[in-house]
Amino acid sequence: QVQLVESGGGLVQAGGSLRLSCTASGRTAKSYAMGWFRQAPGMERDFVAAISWKGDMITYAHSVKGRFDISRDNAKSTVYLQMNSLKPEDTAIYYCAAALGQSRVVDGTVDYWGQGTQVTVSS
């Protein structure tokens, strides 16, 4: 069992930045790919970004390319999402995810989900 806890959400003005963190605990010995999803009210949960265990494979949703940056620090069992040039349409609950394989993170068939953290971007 792996537990994922997100932090770093909040309210920011359009054009601003936030950095989300997700820390894993429990059975973290396995080499999990990790990533981020987001869900706005009335919308589906959408893929945002994923990163492989070694950090050498990274995938972004087209809507966030050039603005968001995913990274990880395995010594801290933590994955980050640096969000820049935020837009009101980025407003959503952001969920951390982990899976045994990059493709499973990208397509949402993950092994573990975090509880989510709210990101609100004002205009």
Side-chain angles (χ1 to χ4, degrees):
Q1 181 70 26
V2 173
Q3 295 80 46
L4 305 176
V5 179
E6 303 98 332
S7 63
L11 175 64
V12 65
Q13 295 183 36
S17 299
L18 284 173
R19 188 178 75 160
L20 306 183
S21 299
C22 173
T23 299
S25 62
R27 295 181 63 85
T28 58
K30 293 183 178 180
S31 301
Y32 291 103
M34 299 184 71
W36 294 91
F37 291 74
R38 64 187 183 185
Q39 187 170 23
M43 305 292 288
E44 295 182 346
R45 185 175 296 189
D46 292 328
F47 169 76
V48 175
I51 185 168
S52 64
W53 166 250
K54 293 183 179 294
D56 56 346
M57 297 292 293
I58 294 176
T59 306
Y60 293 104
H62 183 266
S63 60
V64 305
K65 285 183 178 179
R67 298 191 298 121
F68 291 11
D69 183 27
I70 189 170
S71 62
R72 67 189 298 165
D73 184 342
N74 289 341
K76 299 179 179 179
S77 298
T78 299
V79 63
Y80 304 95
L81 186 68
Q82 178 67 47
M83 305 185 294
N84 302 311
S85 301
L86 283 162
K87 306 174 181 179
E89 51 263 46
D90 294 319
T91 295
I93 300 175
Y94 283 71
Y95 296 92
C96 180
L100 291 172
Q102 182 88 343
S103 63
R104 292 189 179 276
V105 176
V106 174
D107 68 18
T109 56
V110 303
D111 298 304
Y112 302 100
W113 291 100
Q115 293 296 308
T117 185
Q118 177 71 47
V119 172
T120 302
V121 184
S122 65
S123 60

